[in-house]
């Protein structure tokens, strides 16, 4: 009889756990959510994080606290996300650099595609290659001519090693047959300051952050990295217009969660994200923030994107003979 009572009690407790355990989305979210990203405060990733956090907070009914963990091309933040409790209360915003890390690092503490539950992509956008306005090159073609005349004498700044900005510059080296040396900085703001201060002659940057300087005449935009011109900088030609037909670089941003986050919570986050992205005001804010195009996805589509990007950038790194770190 005692054994029967103990067994009945155990079944009762187990049933209660299953009904209220972490896999249940019935009460999710019941407290604030952290949203981590791996780049400097004030940069594109930080801006995008704050915009989508605002939209998701309204849909989910809980505050979403944005936290920047810059460094190593976003790897520090990605590692923190991968190691967080898979309960839906730690999310991450990643950019194209998330896939590039698999190509540029000898080893990572996490797997870019397999250590996470994907939620949705958010936005796609191009980058811009620029120089200070008093620099001799008036076009990308002239910059390439200068670079070819003195291999290794020029340098370009980016938001950090392993960023899409970095690889965009390396792809230009490979496709144009030049050798412009990469100089990493901690975010767009630092690289723009270095350009204006004369530390570097060239920058690969985020269009929305360079646009005010380009419009004021302090910086000259030589080319955008997408096949078509961007609405934000309609007068800046594309790299392909300069004659480099094989060149195409567009980065992206998306949301993910630690591996093992319950499917019901992932589904709830995906639905909330797609609903937020459909809001005209939030859509405009995101697109204006980076001069890009809002595009949501399913978790499966986002994972496929990352896998495809890993293959693409691995090929670029190998062809450009970039040493892994």
């Amino acid at each position: 009889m005692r054994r029967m009572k103990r067994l009945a009690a155990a079944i009762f407790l187990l049933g209660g756990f299953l009904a209220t355990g972490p896999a249940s989305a019935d009460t999710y979210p019941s407290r604030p959510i952290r949203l981590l990203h791996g780049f400097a405060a004030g940069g594109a990733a930080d801006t995008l994080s704050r915009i989508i956090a605002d939209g998701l907070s309204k849909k989910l009914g809980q505050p979403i606290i944005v936290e920047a963990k810059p460094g190593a091309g976003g790897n520090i933040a990605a590692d923190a996300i991968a190691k967080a409790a898979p309960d839906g209360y730690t999310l991450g915003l990643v950019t194209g650099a998330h896939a590039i890390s698999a190509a540029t690092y000898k080893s990572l503490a996490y797997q870019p595609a397999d250590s996470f539950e994907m939620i949705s992509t958010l936005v796609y956008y191009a980058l811009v290659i620029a120089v200070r306005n008093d620099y001799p090159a008036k076009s990308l073609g002239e910059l390439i001519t200068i670079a070819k005349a003195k291999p290794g004498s020029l340098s370009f700044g980016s938001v950090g090693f392993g960023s899409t900005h970095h690889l965009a510059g390396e792809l230009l080296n490979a496709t144009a047959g030049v050798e412009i040396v990469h100089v990493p900085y901690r975010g767009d703001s630092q690289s723009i300051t270095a350009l204006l201060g004369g530390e570097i002659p060239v920058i690969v940057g985020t269009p929305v952050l360079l646009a005010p300087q380009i419009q004021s005449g302090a910086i000259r935009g030589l080319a955008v990295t997408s096949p078509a011109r961007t609405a934000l900088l309609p007068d800046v030609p594309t790299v392909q217009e300069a004659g480099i037909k094989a060149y195409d670089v567009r980065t992206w941003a998306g949301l993910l969660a630690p591996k093992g986050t319950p499917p019901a919570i992932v589904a709830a986050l995906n639905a909330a994200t797609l609903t937020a992205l459909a809001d005209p005001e939030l859509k405009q804010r995101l697109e204006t923030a980076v001069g890009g195009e809002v595009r949501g996805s399913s978790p499966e589509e986002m994972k496929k994107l990352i896998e495809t990007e890993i293959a693409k950038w691995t090929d670029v790194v190998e062809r450009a003979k970039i040493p892994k770190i």
Side-chain angles (χ1 to χ4, degrees):
M1 181 63 69
R2 289 180 180 176
R3 289 173 58 190
M4 292 296 293
K5 288 182 178 180
R6 285 198 296 267
L7 179 59
I11 292 172
F12 175 80
L13 290 173
L14 178 61
F17 173 79
L18 290 175
T20 61
S24 174
D26 292 344
T27 59
Y28 174 83
S30 58
R31 55 187 169 87
I33 298 169
R34 286 197 310 161
L35 176 59
L36 308 184
H37 70 80
F39 298 93
D46 189 58
T47 301
L48 291 172
S49 295
R50 295 182 188 283
I51 293 172
I52 194 62
D54 182 48
L56 282 179
S57 178
K58 292 174 181 175
K59 303 301 177 187
L60 296 173
Q62 288 289 341
I64 297 181
I65 302 164
V66 174
E67 183 178 337
K69 286 184 173 292
N75 292 339
I76 293 174
D79 186 39
I81 298 161
K83 292 176 179 175
D87 56 9
Y89 291 97
T90 299
L91 308 178
L93 181 140
V94 295
T95 68
H98 185 74
I100 287 174
S101 292
T104 52
Y105 283 79
K106 293 177 182 177
S107 63
L108 293 168
Y110 60 90
Q111 296 299 317
D114 296 329
S115 295
F116 305 92
E117 303 293 348
M118 308 306 164
I119 297 170
S120 174
T121 55
L122 301 173
V123 63
Y124 288 71
Y125 55 101
L127 302 173
V128 61
I129 301 166
V131 296
R132 205 166 66 175
N133 199 44
D134 58 1
Y135 190 73
K138 307 298 183 186
S139 68
L140 182 61
E142 290 181 8
L143 178 69
I144 290 171
T145 298
I146 293 171
K148 285 184 175 179
K150 297 180 179 180
S153 64
L154 300 184
S155 58
F156 75 93
S158 83
V159 298
F161 181 89
S163 63
T164 309
H165 304 58
H166 170 203
L167 268 290
E170 296 291 1
L171 183 59
L172 180 67
N173 280 338
T175 53
V178 295
E179 185 183 344
I180 306 177
V181 180
H182 176 235
V183 180
Y185 290 89
R186 290 176 67 86
D188 273 300
S189 297
Q190 286 191 14
S191 60
I192 292 170
T193 299
L195 179 70
L196 292 172
E199 291 180 22
I200 48 174
V202 186
I203 187 177
V204 179
T206 306
V208 71
L209 297 177
L210 286 173
Q213 301 285 354
I214 292 173
Q215 291 160 358
S216 73
I219 289 175
R220 179 183 300 113
L222 298 183
V224 292
T225 61
S226 53
R229 296 191 185 195
T230 70
L232 185 65
L233 296 169
D235 296 328
V236 178
T238 68
V239 172
Q240 292 190 12
E241 286 180 69
I244 306 172
K245 301 302 181 183
Y247 192 93
D248 177 8
V249 177
R250 283 164 286 180
T251 191
W252 50 272
L255 295 177
L256 45 66
K259 186 72 174 180
T261 300
I265 290 178
V266 172
L269 288 167
N270 175 261
T273 301
L274 296 181
T275 301
L277 294 180
D279 178 78
E281 181 182 352
L282 185 131
K283 179 176 182 289
Q284 183 179 23
R285 289 175 65 194
L286 286 173
E287 292 184 339
T288 301
V290 289
E293 174 192 0
V294 162
R295 197 186 309 170
S297 74
S298 67
E300 294 77 17
E301 288 168 337
M302 182 173 169
K303 184 173 183 180
K304 181 63 177 177
L305 168 68
I306 292 174
E307 292 170 341
T308 301
E309 289 272 288
I310 289 173
K312 170 186 174 178
W313 292 118
T314 297
D315 180 63
V316 170
V317 167
E318 290 175 351
R319 286 195 292 120
K321 298 180 181 179
I322 301 171
K324 293 190 176 186
I325 59 173

